[in-house]
Amino acid sequence: MIRRPPRSTPSNSSAASDVYKRQYFNIGKYMKALSINKEIKRRDPEDRWDREEDLYRHILSTDDRRWEIHYALANILLSDNRVDEAIEHYTRAVDLNSDVPEIWYNLGLAYEIRGDRKESLAAIKKLLEIDPQNIKGRQFLEAIKSL
């Protein structure tokens, strides 16, 4: 018999919230578990991304076809300057859903940080194919071309 977690989580205890997060995760309610994790992060800003990164990695170990989880994990990795790992997950995200401009933008940014101008340009051009009016993409492309 699967035990369902309570409908609400206590607001005063990070440890209790962490338990609820695990319970939601264990019954496959990943988005609820992530929202609890964000609440923990809001209450405890000193808490690093480790909990969320671990949660994303665990989700991907059970379901590798979740582009939004690859994208979210890649964002964490990029913010932690783990560029090669971020590129792997951005690439997997666009393999699963190539119609999201933000993935292409961040992939281009990651390639640029790594120093791979050719791949960075290719990602930004793909972004602009999908969303020709994307201001950030246009500005990024102009900045890359001017270097």
Side-chain angles (χ1 to χ4, degrees):
M1 179 174 153
I2 296 176
R3 297 191 85 169
R4 303 259 181 227
R7 292 195 183 272
S8 63
T9 59
S11 59
N12 61 353
S13 168
S14 235
S17 292
D18 205 36
V19 169
Y20 285 117
K21 175 187 75 175
R22 276 191 236 103
Q23 287 177 335
Y24 277 111
F25 182 81
N26 289 337
I27 63 171
K29 296 193 178 252
Y30 303 128
M31 299 318 283
K32 180 65 176 176
L34 289 171
S35 73
I36 292 170
N37 200 67
K38 287 186 188 304
E39 177 63 19
I40 292 169
K41 177 72 175 162
R42 186 188 65 74
R43 278 186 272 149
D44 185 6
E46 297 301 313
D47 185 14
R48 296 256 321 144
W49 286 98
D50 298 340
R51 291 181 185 169
E52 196 165 3
E53 180 183 341
D54 292 343
L55 187 58
Y56 289 145
R57 288 187 185 283
H58 190 78
I59 292 169
L60 292 174
S61 75
T62 61
D63 183 2
D64 189 43
R65 302 213 34 91
R66 305 278 305 266
W67 71 266
E68 69 279 12
I69 302 299
H70 281 286
Y71 176 67
L73 178 56
N75 288 337
I76 291 170
L77 295 168
L78 189 60
S79 72
D80 201 26
N81 203 30
R82 292 157 55 194
V83 179
D84 291 333
E85 287 179 86
I87 288 171
E88 288 177 32
H89 286 281
Y90 286 132
T91 301
R92 181 70 175 131
V94 296
D95 287 346
L96 296 168
N97 186 351
S98 62
D99 296 330
V100 180
E102 291 81 9
I103 303 172
W104 289 105
Y105 181 87
N106 287 4
L107 180 59
L109 178 63
Y111 278 128
E112 188 63 24
I113 290 169
R114 187 168 79 179
D116 193 339
R117 177 75 36 87
K118 182 179 174 185
E119 291 296 328
S120 181
L121 279 169
I124 297 305
K125 286 179 180 177
K126 181 64 177 173
L127 155 67
L128 292 172
E129 284 176 24
I130 296 166
D131 182 6
Q133 304 306 316
N134 189 295
I135 294 169
K136 282 176 46 176
R138 288 174 172 268
Q139 291 171 340
F140 191 10
L141 183 61
E142 291 305 315
I144 291 173
K145 285 182 175 180
S146 70
L147 295 176

